[in-house]
Amino acid sequence: LKTYYTLVISMSRPSRRRETSKIVKVPPGVLTGLKSLVKGNEEAIANMLDCDVSEDENSKAVDTLVQKLVDCLNVNNLNAEGLLARFFGADMLSTYCITVLGKSGK
C-alpha cells in the first residue's frame, strides 16, 4: 500500500522538462521543389492535407499548400526527404520525376 501511494504521488507531479517546438527553416531550393511538386497535384495534396483550396486561384492554392507542407515539416520534425517518404506515394513521386524532372521514375 505504501509503495502504491508513493507511485501515485510521483506520477502526478508535473514534468519539469519543457517541450520546445523546433521551427525548421526551409531553404529556398526546398521551397522551389515543393512548389514544383504541388503544381499539377493540387487536388491530391489538398485531400492529403485535408485542406480546401477549390475556391483559391491556382497560384494562391499552390502557395497555401506549400505553407501547409512546411507546417507539416515543423509539426512532425521532418526534413524534406522525410516528408516525401512519409506522406507521398511512390506513384505520385514517380510520375513527378518522369514528367517534370525528366528522370527515371524508379
Side-chain angles (χ1 to χ4, degrees), residues 68-81:
K68 295 276 186 184
L69 289 173
V70 170
D71 292 344
C72 187
L73 284 171
N74 287 325
V75 167
N76 293 294
N77 197 19
L78 295 171
N79 58 14
E81 292 84 7

Side-chain angles (χ1 to χ4, degrees), residues 56-102:
D56 291 347
E57 59 186 66
N58 193 25
S59 63
K60 188 176 178 185
V62 169
D63 291 338
T64 300
L65 291 172
V66 168
Q67 184 56 50
K68 295 276 186 184
L69 289 173
V70 170
D71 292 344
C72 187
L73 284 171
N74 287 325
V75 167
N76 293 294
N77 197 19
L78 295 171
N79 58 14
E81 292 84 7
L83 176 80
L84 294 176
R86 182 182 279 182
F87 295 106
F88 288 85
D91 55 337
M92 181 188 291
L93 294 175
S94 176
T95 303
Y96 172 77
C97 287
I98 293 168
T99 59
V100 177
L101 301 177

Side-chain angles (χ1 to χ4, degrees), residues 8-104:
V8 171
I9 295 293
S10 66
M11 289 179 63
S12 64
R13 291 183 186 158
S15 175
R16 292 184 184 175
R17 290 188 287 169
R18 289 189 179 174
E19 289 187 28
T20 58
S21 59
K22 186 177 179 182
I23 303 296
V24 177
K25 292 186 179 181
V26 180
V30 172
L31 286 176
T32 302
L34 288 175
K35 283 183 183 181
S36 176
L37 179 63
V38 168
K39 287 180 185 173
N41 295 309
E42 293 93 341
E43 186 177 335
I45 295 172
N47 287 336
M48 179 179 69
L49 295 170
D50 198 26
C51 177
D52 184 26
V53 291
S54 58
E55 295 178 10
D56 291 347
E57 59 186 66
N58 193 25
S59 63
K60 188 176 178 185
V62 169
D63 291 338
T64 300
L65 291 172
V66 168
Q67 184 56 50
K68 295 276 186 184
L69 289 173
V70 170
D71 292 344
C72 187
L73 284 171
N74 287 325
V75 167
N76 293 294
N77 197 19
L78 295 171
N79 58 14
E81 292 84 7
L83 176 80
L84 294 176
R86 182 182 279 182
F87 295 106
F88 288 85
D91 55 337
M92 181 188 291
L93 294 175
S94 176
T95 303
Y96 172 77
C97 287
I98 293 168
T99 59
V100 177
L101 301 177
K103 302 287 183 178
S104 170

